[in-house]
Amino acid sequence: QVQLVESGGGSVQAGSSLRLSCTSSGRSFSRYAMGWFRQAPGKEREFVGRMIWSGGITYYADSVKGRFTISRDIAKNTVYLQMSSLKPEDTAVYYCAAAMGSRSLDSERRYDYWGQGTQVIVSP
């Protein structure tokens, strides 16, 4: 069982940066792909980015490419989402998720475990 816990959300002004963290109290992430998703009020949850833990290969949604970066600390079994140049449209609840597979990782249906989410609010 993988239990994911996100942290690092908050309220910031546009142009600011935030770093979200996701750690597990259970198994190591070594066999998983780690994804970040977000859900804005009144909208469906959408893919933000993902990392294949073994090798650290990342992929991002076009809406965040160049502004968001996923990284990891293997020793701490923690994955991060560094968000820069934040915009009001980045306001959402952000979720990390773990997938046992490695295909179609932009789809939330591919993920087996989810964190509880952390709120990010970006004001103009």
Side-chain angles (χ1 to χ4, degrees), residues 35-39 45-49 93-97 105-109 111 114:
W36 286 96
F37 289 77
R38 65 186 182 186
Q39 187 167 21
R45 189 154 53 186
E46 66 173 357
F47 171 76
V48 173
V93 177
Y94 284 73
Y95 299 89
C96 74
L105 291 172
D106 57 341
S107 171
E108 62 179 295
R109 292 174 295 178
Y111 289 81
W114 291 84

Side-chain angles (χ1 to χ4, degrees), residues 6-19:
E6 302 103 332
S7 62
S11 295
V12 297
Q13 290 189 323
S16 300
S17 299
L18 272 177
R19 189 179 76 164

